[in-house]
Amino acid sequence: MPERERAELIASLEVVDAVTIFDEPTVTELLLAIKPDIHAKGTDYTEETVPEREVVRSYGGRVAIVGDPKDHSTSEMIRRLK
């Protein structure tokens, strides 16, 4: 699924405040610019393995591991929704 379509899908969720797509190789610059209270990462990470954890902590944010195990695909989820 193209990134813009994924972003639109995520943005449509009521609990999501904002979605952005960035061109930088890491999310560090974006995190320092917007300083979100919570930086969410998927279950393929742990709080200790999130590369940006120290950046998030530096401005008082926190890292949250969210979602379910990565044993399915976005296309499968869309198929089920249809």
Side-chain angles (χ1 to χ4, degrees), residues 35-68:
K35 297 180 179 165
D37 294 328
I38 301 169
H39 177 52
K41 294 292 267 189
T43 57
D44 44 339
Y45 290 93
T46 67
E47 286 191 37
E48 294 76 32
T49 64
V50 171
E52 311 85 16
R53 72 185 177 282
E54 293 306 320
V55 172
V56 174
R57 291 175 182 162
S58 76
Y59 62 78
R62 72 178 179 94
V63 170
I65 305 303
V66 300
D68 55 358

Side-chain angles (χ1 to χ4, degrees), residues 13-28:
L13 300 173
E14 187 175 333
V15 298
V16 174
D17 294 327
V19 174
T20 188
I21 297 170
F22 60 94
D23 294 324
E24 295 82 17
T26 71
V27 73
T28 299

